[in-house]
Amino acid sequence: SRLCIMDFITITGIALGLSFDTFAVSLSCGVVESKIRFRNAMRIAFILALFQGAMPVIGYFLGSAVSQYIGKFDHWVAFGLLMILGIRMVIEGMKKDHDREPVDINRLPVLLTMAVGTSIDAFAVGISFAFLSVKIWSAGLIIGAVTFIASMTAIRIGKSAGSRLGSRVEILGGIILAIIGIKILVEHLIAAT
């Protein structure tokens, strides 16, 4: 029983670490769309949590078979996805109001880009779980649940900040996404040296 509690605490700690990127992305969602409805916030949080919870499971089952191939470029994929989305948001945010076409965070392709970009780390964690005796389904559930709570909290915080920041919040949201992309890339490059 003590082992189970220890596993739970360890997995929850890992889940919190993994949810930081999702928290920041969700914060920018709340900032960009300060009139976001609860249903939309739930949808965003659910999709982000689904990917964050599923990626370790996928990583666990694919395990070492693909890790050597994916490990070489996963951080570049995350970096690329988040940078493209972030730069697009900054460009839209800088346009004059009548030229603007804000990035719609509720569109599935945008949501999936954010979800994949922030959950690639979770895939790598899943690969490492394959070498430990981790109960992968409960680990995936814990990681998903923590991510969902973090995401909903961040959207709420971003929503109240966004309504005070005015129309240029999209620039801030884009910068946040770009910074997360850079952070993921730098962490992987440092780890590789």
Side-chain angles (χ1 to χ4, degrees), residues 35-137:
K35 292 179 181 70
I36 195 166
R37 290 199 174 94
F38 183 74
R39 202 180 81 221
N40 288 359
M42 290 276 289
R43 183 171 168 258
I44 291 167
F46 177 77
I47 289 173
L48 292 171
L50 180 71
F51 272 76
Q52 197 77 278
M55 284 294 211
V57 176
I58 294 167
Y60 181 89
F61 287 112
L62 292 179
S64 55
V66 295
S67 66
Q68 55 196 22
Y69 303 110
I70 291 172
K72 290 175 186 159
F73 61 86
D74 63 349
H75 47 286
W76 288 104
V77 172
F79 170 74
L81 290 171
L82 294 172
M83 283 302 277
I84 290 165
L85 202 55
I87 290 167
R88 248 186 76 204
M89 286 171 73
V90 169
I91 291 167
E92 286 301 328
M94 291 168 80
K95 286 182 180 173
K96 302 259 188 299
D97 282 348
H98 54 81
D99 296 330
R100 293 182 74 220
E101 223 182 284
V103 173
D104 184 0
I105 55 165
N106 295 302
R107 282 187 49 240
L108 198 58
V110 174
L111 259 174
L112 291 177
T113 302
M114 291 190 294
V116 171
T118 55
S119 64
I120 285 178
D121 282 356
F123 179 81
V125 166
I127 292 170
S128 68
F129 281 171
F131 303 109
L132 310 165
S133 55
V134 173
K135 289 184 176 70
I136 193 60
W137 295 106

Side-chain angles (χ1 to χ4, degrees), residues 7-20 142-143 146:
D7 282 354
F8 178 78
I9 292 166
T10 305
I11 303 282
T12 305
I14 291 168
L16 284 168
L18 288 172
S19 72
F20 284 137
I142 293 165
I143 291 168
V146 168

Side-chain angles (χ1 to χ4, degrees), residues 71-72 75-76 185-193:
K72 290 175 186 159
H75 47 286
W76 288 104
L185 182 65
V186 169
E187 282 173 355
H188 280 81
L189 292 177
I190 289 170
T193 53

